[in-house]
Amino acid sequence: RPPRANMRTGQARKRDQVEHAIVAALRQAGVIVLPLSGPGVPDLLCYHRNRWLPLEVKSTANDALTGSQAQLWLATHFPVVRSVEDALRAFGLS
């Protein structure tokens, strides 16, 4: 079952508050991190040990995927991370 979707559209996109800390921690752990932007696209594209992994960053448990993100999640099941620990765990680094 996909994470809860938020169907609101037309909102200005802003980076989630925890994203900067997540990017810094992943890079310190040796992960290549590329910020992404676009409708339905996860926030980060990461590469570590011959593995590409998109990550969607949400600041709180109440933050939901957009409708287009939820559609992509159904096809790919990319991790939705809410903390540095979640992001490191996605790569088996915690």
Side-chain angles (χ1 to χ4, degrees), residues 13 15 19-20 23 27 32-38 41-46 55 57:
R13 183 173 183 318
R15 292 300 211 198
E19 185 174 322
H20 296 291
V23 169
R27 287 181 174 159
I32 296 170
V33 181
L34 305 170
L36 300 176
S37 182
V41 176
D43 293 314
L44 306 173
L45 180 60
C46 305
L55 298 177
V57 178

Side-chain angles (χ1 to χ4, degrees), residues 26-87:
L26 288 171
R27 287 181 174 159
Q28 185 174 0
V31 178
I32 296 170
V33 181
L34 305 170
L36 300 176
S37 182
V41 176
D43 293 314
L44 306 173
L45 180 60
C46 305
Y47 181 79
H48 184 67
R49 297 185 181 164
N50 298 318
R51 178 181 174 210
W52 287 98
L53 185 65
L55 298 177
E56 175 61 28
V57 178
K58 297 295 182 191
S59 293
T60 69
N62 293 331
D63 289 344
L65 296 177
T66 65
S68 55
Q69 287 172 335
Q71 288 177 346
L72 182 61
W73 185 90
L74 285 171
T76 63
H77 298 280
F78 54 82
V80 177
V81 298
R82 291 178 166 77
S83 66
V84 168
E85 294 77 21
D86 287 349

